[in-house]
Amino acid sequence: MKYRRLLSAFFFSLIPMLAQAEYRVFVLKISTSAKPSEGQDASENTEPAFRLVESTLDPEQYRAFYPVAADETITYIDTWRCYGRTGGMKPLCPNPKGQIPSEENPGP
């Protein structure tokens, strides 16, 4: 009976060491629809303006958490998994694929 308790205590002490935190980073493209102004020709500026944002929120969560204009669309570009915690304002882990360089200040 003593061995059973000792063995149970040993396994319960290992559980916190085996648990690891992880999170997912998303690269979101937030673009505005290009509408020509009154004095501007429609053929001059047809490319929509956009910005890339690295976030731990997916597109739906990002729109609910941050203010996004009604004419802006959020498109998912890339994602990867990171190990560890994000507490203490730690920076997000870099993209292991190396496709999109990390910005100095990715937040809006």
Side-chain angles (χ1 to χ4, degrees):
M1 192 63 151
K2 285 184 179 183
Y3 293 115
R4 189 174 186 183
R5 286 185 185 177
L6 182 63
L7 190 59
S8 295
F10 177 71
F11 283 122
F12 283 120
S13 66
L14 283 180
I15 289 174
M17 290 188 291
L18 296 176
Q20 291 187 0
E22 65 181 42
Y23 60 96
R24 187 160 287 279
V25 176
F26 295 92
V27 176
L28 306 175
K29 179 181 178 181
I30 303 174
S31 56
T32 58
S33 59
K35 294 181 182 176
S37 58
E38 291 180 19
Q40 188 177 19
D41 186 18
S43 63
E44 286 180 17
N45 189 8
T46 58
E47 282 192 34
F50 70 91
R51 65 184 188 274
L52 294 179
V53 176
E54 286 186 1
S55 174
T56 57
L57 304 173
D58 64 32
E60 290 81 23
Q61 292 172 335
Y62 190 88
R63 183 175 289 280
F65 194 76
Y66 291 105
V68 178
D71 67 336
E72 290 182 323
T73 58
I74 302 176
T75 308
Y76 157 83
I77 301 292
D78 196 7
T79 186
W80 60 92
R81 184 179 3 188
C82 301
Y83 297 101
R85 305 187 72 186
T86 59
M89 301 299 288
K90 292 181 184 175
L92 302 174
C93 72
N95 188 345
K97 300 171 197 167
Q99 295 174 346
I100 299 177
S102 178
E103 294 179 5
E104 193 66 29
N105 187 6

